[in-house]
Amino acid sequence: RIHMPYRSWLFVPGDSPRKIEKAAASEADILILDLEDSVSPDRKAEAREITLNALKRVGGPPKWVRVNALDTNLTRDDVAAVGSHASGLVLPKCGGPDDLAALDALSGGLPVLAIATETVRAVRACLSADWTHPTLSAMTWGAEDLAADLGASANRGQDGRPLSPFRFARDAMLFAAKAAGVPAIDTVFVDFRDEPGLVEEAREAEASGFSGKMAIHPAQVAPINAAFTPGGDAVDWARRVVAAMEAAGEGVARLDGRMLDRPHLKRARSILARAGRDRDAE
């Protein structure tokens, strides 16, 4: 499984050496070399070759590969071509533990980021199934394919926020990820020129319990990293909470006139882990 902090996950087309090189020079925590939606059907084989070459030769952050969905009959070839060199795999249209097991059988145990809400079936599975699996390392959600499955004409309102069914899917995935004990990663903000909108959405996601966010352009990486990196005040509070609980030596403590208990300690350790101050906190 992956370890925090992985805040920014930058998609890059797997058939573009130029874009891969540019993305690798960014400050993204993880690159996702995409063999799925950003690659046309007639370029799948070429994209595998370009992606494999990048995995072998291009430096920079860890590189995961988004393979094609299991129902396309392309996944096996994707994994066979690049799996041995990828840090992990991203599985689109993942419907639950059975799909994770199917990919595991192809990849031999590579870590997986599951895109868990691209079908109605998957959203329902987020509410009813236990997604725990040895290869599951993180979960995220997507709205474009879900909109098609729902027959929806839009997934965001005029204010730029996800419409009600998509907020529901997002929340369902968040709960499923937390129940499975893996980080929840927020979906992409598609207007890469709207930095204020991205910052607002990323901050809201961080406050809600998400650990990071997807990006579609290198310009989005810095705002995402900033949003998911605890500030000095938060780190100071967390360190004081840990010290107070350790000094109390029991289930409760007091800090600044307020009672502290185990949930406060858990939150404080999570903040320190994301800030890189306490590697044993998680």
Side-chain angles (χ1 to χ4, degrees):
R1 293 191 175 188
I2 63 173
H3 300 283
M4 297 299 294
Y6 283 139
R7 306 154 297 178
S8 51
W9 299 63
L10 176 59
F11 280 105
V12 57
D15 63 347
S16 175
R18 179 184 64 82
K19 291 181 179 179
I20 293 173
E21 291 279 359
K22 182 178 180 181
S26 74
E27 295 298 320
D29 291 328
I30 288 180
L31 297 188
I32 301 175
L33 279 59
D34 188 20
L35 298 178
E36 196 213 12
D37 283 349
S38 66
V39 178
S40 62
D42 62 332
R43 286 180 57 82
K44 296 293 186 182
E46 184 178 2
R48 293 185 191 113
E49 294 180 5
I50 293 171
T51 293
L52 178 60
N53 185 65
L55 292 172
K56 290 179 176 180
R57 302 179 185 281
V58 177
K63 295 167 187 65
W64 292 45
V65 175
R66 179 163 71 169
V67 296
N68 288 277
L70 290 166
D71 62 1
T72 64
N73 295 319
L74 297 171
T75 320
R76 181 182 298 275
D77 289 342
D78 291 341
V79 175
V82 305
S84 61
H85 295 276
S87 297
L89 301 176
V90 178
L91 180 62
K93 300 177 182 64
C94 183
D98 289 346
D99 287 351
L100 293 169
L103 183 61
D104 184 20
L106 298 177
S107 72
L110 277 176
V112 176
L113 166 72
I115 307 181
T117 66
E118 293 186 301
T119 66
V120 172
R121 180 176 73 94
V123 175
R124 293 190 63 187
C126 283
L127 299 172
S128 60
D130 179 0
W131 286 65
T132 304
H133 190 274
T135 64
L136 183 66
S137 294
M139 294 176 67
T140 190
W141 71 289
E144 301 299 330
D145 287 288
L146 180 59
D149 209 25
L150 286 171
S153 60
N155 54 56
R156 291 179 182 260
Q158 292 185 347
D159 61 357
R161 297 178 181 275
L163 295 172
S164 176
F166 304 96
R167 292 198 302 272
F168 176 83
R170 179 180 187 255
D171 292 345
M173 185 282 297
L174 175 63
F175 280 104
K178 296 299 180 177
V182 299
I185 310 300
D186 198 21
T187 195
V188 299
F189 187 80
V190 295
D191 187 353
F192 62 86
R193 294 163 296 189
D194 181 9
E195 184 172 326
L198 169 65
V199 169
E200 179 182 2
E201 188 166 282
R203 287 176 175 171
E204 185 274 332
E206 189 277 336
S208 297
F210 286 85
S211 299
K213 189 169 180 61
M214 299 288 180
I216 57 172
H217 192 280
Q220 294 181 317
V221 169
I224 289 173
N225 285 348
F228 287 95
T229 301
D233 290 345
V235 171
D236 179 66
W237 174 85
R239 297 178 74 176
R240 292 170 64 216
V241 167
V242 171
M245 291 292 289
E246 289 178 349
E250 54 187 40
V252 296
R254 294 182 67 88
L255 181 66
D256 299 333
R258 296 186 178 184
M259 294 296 297
L260 300 174
D261 55 15
R262 298 297 298 180
H264 294 96
L265 180 60
K266 184 176 181 180
R267 179 185 171 201
R269 285 180 168 168
S270 176
I271 289 172
L272 292 176
R274 290 191 293 117
R277 304 293 183 90
D278 182 357
R279 298 191 182 277
D280 297 324
E282 291 266 278

